[in-house]
Amino acid sequence: MSSPEPQSSPSARHGAIVAIVEWLQGHARLVFALALALTVACGVYVARTFTITTDFEALLSPNLPFQRDAAAFARAFPQLQDALVVVVDGPTPALAREGAERLAARLTAAKALFPDVYVPESPFLVAHGLLYLEPAQLQEVAGQLTQAQPLIGTLAADPGLRGLAGLIGQVTSPEAAKAGADLSGFAPVLTALADTVTATDRGAFHPMAWSALMQDGAGEGGGARQFIVVRPTLGSDPLQPGAPAMDAVRRAAAAADLDAAHGFRVRLTGPVALDAAQVHAATEGTVGAGLLTVGLLALLLGVGLYSLRIAAAILLVLAMSFVWSAALALAVVGPFNLISIAFAILFIGLGVDFGIQFAVRYTEDLSVSGARRPALRAALFGAARSLTLAASAAAISFYATVPTHYSGLAALGVVSGTSMLVALAATLVVLPAVLAVLAGGGRHRGRMRYGGFGRLALHRHSKVIVGVALLAGLVALPFALNVGFDADPASVQDPRAEAVQVFDEMRHSDPASLYTIDVLAPDEKAAEALAARLSRLPTVARALTLGSFIPDDQGTKLAAIQELAMIVPPFTLATPRSAPTDAGGAQAALADLRTRLRAVPADGPLGAAGARLNAALDRFVARHGRDDAAVLRLQHRLIGDLPETVATVRETLTAGPVTRDDLPAALRARYLNPRTGQARVEVFSKLDVTRPENLERFVTEVQSVAPHAAGTSVTLVETGRAVVAAFRTSTILAAAGIFALLFLVLRNVGRVLLVLLPLSLAGVLTLATMAVLGISFNLGNVIVLPLMIGLGVAFGVYFVLRWAEGIAVEDVLRTSMPDAVLLSGLATMVS
């Protein structure tokens, strides 16, 4: 059966449409020129005013209880907001700490750019590290230091190849053997020395990590990674306000020799760096994605519409209306946010659909009449109603998000809902004019090859198709109900960005330190009482207050440290009695070291480690033995972080009592507001809080004791709750609004259900697929919901209205409409 003839002679009630079409035909070039002028003006406005706000908390209404609690905490402790975290990876623990201290000093000097600089593992805490140990731990450390005393004392006096040779001579001497000394503990030292020699021989940077060997004895913690937390002064660039501070950190790191040549790596993360990475991805990355989308759409439309001119017309009108919508959004809503910026994807997906539906209807009519004017008139007459209804339904689905507390989504709803009406107007008014200009005069040649769906005879198998669809929906429904929401902003970050990679490393190595909870107490006494209650919760590992940094039982611990200082006298760890040897002395010391190693008994406790070190030295001497610079370089690498390690041991052995006034000012300011007296309780979880269910349990338990808790964990959990509630509300409003609209237009409940049932099935199958694949909704992919509703309703409207024109189902399938729906779906997938 052939396609129905175009309605080239509409009745009088459609006279207005005919008049519009005739006017557009007669003034097509004028309409085209006005549209281009409007596009240029809007484009200039967008270029001057476009900006993105990455404030995660601004995505939700500030009137939500947890938002008010977060704001109150931010007012009490502003230095904890807008942090830039500098991560310093060094070759050894001691060198990493020393490098971080050097960099922190440079940043502190730039007070205008960095008003607050905080080093968590501060020199004060390191120097008093033994006081923070439990008595049993302190006793164990004392034993380790006592055992290491000969090693520490000898190398502190003569840090170099000569000192190493003397040390090995002592531990392998006959006197040591007669005394029955346990030398097995020295084997790791020889093994580490061999690794350093081998790396130096190969040109790699691998200094000796004395701090790692004596880490417990020195009372050190951490590792070869240190952190500096700064609160920078943000710049005036609305897109990259943190750029000046981040550039300044990198320059300071280079000036402090914290580079690869010295075994260091300095990277940036934290809210400021993550925001910068997100804006960069949203702006720079979108350009490439946009160009790729346009290219693929042009190819798809050119093939699907059998006309490059018509494809160009659709893309041109789509681009125009996109610029208009962006300008309108910036003027009405203001800066885009992390959610509303996604309106570009939604607009392309739905906007191109309107253009495709009109163009395909036009080409279908054109293939019958062969004349442009009657075909445009018939297409506008035939498509105006369905496009208007589809655009209105899509707009309702977006506007339904406005009454919710999810401000980010509400902004998207305003922008996208309005853009649907803009796209509709552009399709019905501008596209016919553009088609008239680009298509030129003359008659159409050939016949469009639409109607392929009619050959499938789907109507003959309608009961089977409906039955299978219903069965699929029932099977998928339980899976669809298990889709979760991941409110962590890290889930929508570009994993290739440095800030994201560092954050991800930190999240997996020590998630408890990132996902904490902050509770604001009126004073220190209340904070201590609250911390005690929180510490008893099953999910809480510890609750820190300022008082947590004042060691317990200091009298007993100080006595133990004084006894240890008598065994390892601090004065022996002062300035070395001998400087590292020069080139000539280093050569002689190297030869002496090799001689002493050859004397190590092969069957003794040091035999294997000594042989390994001796073999490494033999290889080094064979390749570099005559190069004085290489030998001095080897000596420097073997010294490694020895000076810093010895200094740390000396400081721990001379530590005095700790009072509240002794604590560093930067540390005190993070737990006590000196102006208001308000105190902070920082709560850490003992669970793996990277798992959403554990994070939810942690937050719920803490809120049962401290209902006004704030912090990262609370924000993530409460955001998830608010977003789920917002979508529940918006879905109900959208469903009700779309149902009412469809009923007003279709005046038949059965036809309304025909439109909505396929949408419902598509939604259930989509959610079930997400659940099976382990995909949760997040702040990025959540836009699929309004897009799915908008397109789902539109596709149903196109089918039902075409059928409602009085065309049998099998004849509807022979029209261009199913092909247009398929082409729209493919175009949306491309975008």
Side-chain angles (χ1 to χ4, degrees):
M1 184 175 179
S2 61
S3 300
E5 292 295 318
Q7 302 182 39
S8 56
S9 301
S11 60
R13 61 191 178 92
H14 298 107
I17 295 179
V18 175
I20 292 174
V21 174
E22 293 298 331
W23 190 92
L24 291 174
Q25 292 291 299
H27 303 83
R29 295 185 182 277
L30 175 61
V31 174
F32 193 6
L34 291 175
L36 285 176
L38 178 61
T39 303
V40 171
C42 290
V44 172
Y45 176 78
V46 170
R48 291 180 176 178
T49 59
F50 175 79
T51 187
I52 301 175
T53 174
T54 57
D55 186 357
F56 172 59
E57 296 181 357
L59 294 178
L60 292 167
S61 169
N63 296 320
L64 289 169
F66 84 94
Q67 288 280 71
R68 293 198 297 267
D69 295 334
F73 181 81
R75 288 192 297 270
F77 295 96
Q79 67 272 37
L80 300 180
Q81 316 306 313
D82 296 325
L84 178 63
V85 179
V86 185
V87 182
V88 180
D89 291 307
T92 73
L95 289 177
R97 187 173 61 250
E98 190 272 338
E101 291 173 4
R102 282 190 283 126
L103 179 56
R106 289 178 177 269
L107 299 180
T108 302
K111 198 70 176 179
L113 192 55
F114 302 104
D116 185 82
V117 179
Y118 175 65
V119 181
E121 193 173 339
S122 66
F124 176 88
L125 294 179
V126 172
H128 294 81
L130 295 178
L131 287 175
Y132 291 98
L133 299 177
E134 295 296 327
Q137 294 176 309
L138 179 56
Q139 186 177 3
E140 181 181 356
V141 167
Q144 293 170 341
L145 267 178
T146 300
Q147 186 177 7
Q149 192 276 335
L151 169 67
I152 299 173
T154 301
L155 291 180
D158 191 358
L161 285 170
R162 185 175 53 218
L164 281 174
L167 177 62
I168 293 176
Q170 288 182 27
V171 299
T172 60
S173 65
E175 291 78 8
K178 291 180 181 179
D182 182 10
L183 303 179
S184 59
F186 194 64
V189 176
L190 298 182
T191 300
L193 289 170
D195 292 339
T196 297
V197 173
T198 299
T200 305
D201 180 38
R202 295 174 178 173
F205 189 90
H206 183 71
M208 183 68 178
W210 296 100
S211 56
L213 288 169
M214 299 187 291
Q215 187 169 8
D216 292 335
E220 298 181 42
R225 170 171 292 181
Q226 296 291 311
F227 300 97
I228 306 172
V229 182
V230 300
R231 181 171 61 90
T233 300
L234 300 179
S236 57
D237 186 346
L239 290 181
Q240 291 289 355
M246 295 168 65
D247 292 340
V249 171
R250 294 188 177 98
R251 290 194 301 269
D257 293 331
L258 302 183
D259 51 29
H262 297 84
F264 286 91
R265 182 171 60 164
V266 177
R267 295 177 293 172
L268 304 177
T269 189
V272 173
L274 290 170
D275 286 351
Q278 195 155 44
V279 170
H280 181 271
T283 54
E284 301 297 327
T286 302
V287 173
L291 293 176
L292 180 61
T293 300
V294 171
L296 292 175
L297 280 178
L299 177 63
L300 179 65
L301 294 178
V303 173
L305 297 171
Y306 311 104
S307 171
L308 292 178
R309 286 185 176 184
I310 296 178
I314 292 176
L315 292 176
L316 180 59
V317 174
L318 181 68
M320 288 179 177
S321 52
F322 176 80
V323 175
W324 303 345
S325 298
L328 185 62
L330 288 170
V332 175
V333 179
F336 289 102
N337 58 46
L338 298 176
I339 298 296
S340 64
I341 191 64
F343 108 94
I345 304 298
L346 299 172
F347 184 86
I348 294 174
L350 287 164
V352 76
D353 170 60
F354 300 157
I356 288 173
Q357 297 299 322
F358 181 87
V360 169
R361 188 68 179 259
Y362 164 68
T363 55
E364 178 186 359
D365 295 331
L366 187 62
S367 67
V368 174
S369 67
R372 176 171 49 81
R373 286 203 173 196
L376 277 175
R377 185 187 304 118
L380 191 57
F381 171 73
R385 186 186 183 208
S386 60
L387 289 180
T388 301
L389 182 57
S392 301
I396 287 175
S397 72
F398 289 117
Y399 287 140
T401 64
V402 175
T404 69
H405 289 293
Y406 195 1
S407 304
L409 189 65
L412 174 66
V414 173
V415 173
S416 298
T418 305
S419 70
M420 291 301 96
L421 304 180
V422 172
L424 174 66
T427 300
L428 297 180
V429 176
V430 181
L431 183 56
V434 175
L435 285 172
V437 172
L438 295 184
R443 298 175 66 85
H444 175 73
R445 298 178 181 178
R447 186 176 179 85
M448 298 296 101
R449 296 184 296 274
Y450 295 126
F453 279 89
R455 291 190 291 271
L456 298 178
L458 298 177
H459 58 285
R460 297 178 183 175
H461 311 288
S462 57
K463 293 182 179 180
V464 175
I465 294 174
V466 171
V468 171
L470 291 177
L471 180 61
L474 292 174
V475 172
L477 185 59
F479 295 96
L481 297 176
N482 288 325
V483 176
F485 182 85
D486 182 2
D488 194 338
S491 301
V492 297
Q493 289 276 15
D494 180 4
R496 298 166 297 181
E498 175 190 272
V500 180
Q501 291 178 345
V502 179
F503 181 84
D504 199 51
E505 291 175 12
M506 295 166 59
R507 180 169 57 171
H508 286 90
S509 62
D510 187 16
S513 64
L514 292 178
Y515 298 96
T516 59
I517 294 178
D518 292 312
V519 184
L520 189 63
D523 51 48
E524 280 193 86
K525 184 177 180 181
E528 294 293 342
L530 183 58
R533 294 176 58 198
L534 291 170
S535 297
R536 291 191 290 268
L537 294 175
T539 61
V540 173
R542 62 188 186 278
L544 296 183
T545 64
L546 183 61
S548 303
F549 294 91
I550 302 175
D552 297 326
D553 199 13
Q554 293 191 57
T556 303
K557 295 178 181 178
L558 286 171
I561 294 174
Q562 291 172 359
E563 292 179 6
L564 181 59
M566 297 177 64
I567 301 173
V568 187
F571 67 84
T572 64
L573 306 179
T575 304
R577 292 191 294 273
S578 301
T581 54
D582 55 15
Q587 289 279 13
L590 180 58
D592 184 29
L593 175 59
R594 296 175 66 201
T595 300
R596 293 178 184 273
L597 283 171
R598 284 193 290 270
V600 175
D603 57 350
L606 301 180
R612 180 178 176 185
L613 175 57
N614 194 45
L617 289 172
D618 287 344
R619 290 191 297 269
F620 179 87
V621 170
R623 183 179 300 181
H624 308 286
R626 296 183 180 182
D627 185 349
D628 290 344
V631 174
L632 287 176
R633 183 164 54 251
L634 175 64
Q635 177 176 249
H636 183 265
R637 302 284 171 80
L638 290 175
I639 293 174
D641 63 2
L642 181 63
E644 293 79 12
T645 301
V646 169
T648 299
V649 174
R650 182 176 65 249
E651 291 170 359
T652 59
L653 295 177
T654 57
V658 176
T659 66
R660 180 175 273 94
D661 293 336
D662 294 326
L663 296 175
L667 175 61
R668 293 200 307 270
R670 274 163 167 71
Y671 290 91
L672 181 65
N673 185 319
R675 182 176 56 85
T676 65
Q678 292 171 296
R680 170 196 182 196
V681 181
E682 186 179 18
V683 190
F684 296 79
S685 177
K686 64 175 61 173
L687 304 177
D688 177 10
V689 285
T690 59
R691 299 176 59 182
E693 63 273 18
N694 288 343
L695 187 64
E696 173 95 18
R697 180 185 170 195
F698 173 47
V699 170
T700 301
E701 281 196 3
V702 171
Q703 287 178 327
S704 67
V705 175
H708 297 290
T712 303
S713 295
V714 174
T715 297
L716 294 179
V717 170
E718 291 292 352
T719 294
R721 294 169 178 170
V723 170
V724 170
F727 272 104
R728 185 183 299 115
T729 300
S730 63
T731 300
I732 294 173
L733 292 176
I738 291 174
F739 186 92
L741 174 67
L742 293 176
F743 184 76
L744 287 175
V745 174
L746 300 177
R747 302 300 181 97
N748 185 294
V749 175
R751 292 180 179 180
V752 173
L753 294 179
L754 282 177
V755 173
L756 295 180
L757 286 178
L759 168 62
S760 302
L761 177 62
V764 170
L765 294 178
T766 300
L767 297 181
T769 302
M770 292 178 63
V772 171
L773 296 179
I775 301 173
S776 298
F777 280 115
N778 58 43
L779 294 174
N781 64 27
V782 74
I783 65 168
V784 72
L785 292 178
L787 177 60
M788 183 170 61
I789 294 174
L791 276 174
V793 169
F795 292 165
V797 164
Y798 301 147
F799 268 99
V800 171
L801 286 185
R802 198 70 185 263
W803 170 65
E805 292 177 3
I807 306 175
V809 172
E810 56 268 28
D811 292 331
V812 172
L813 294 174
R814 294 190 181 99
T815 68
S816 63
M817 192 272 303
D819 300 79
V821 170
L822 176 62
L823 187 58
S824 291
L826 293 175
T828 302
M829 290 172 63
V830 166
S831 70

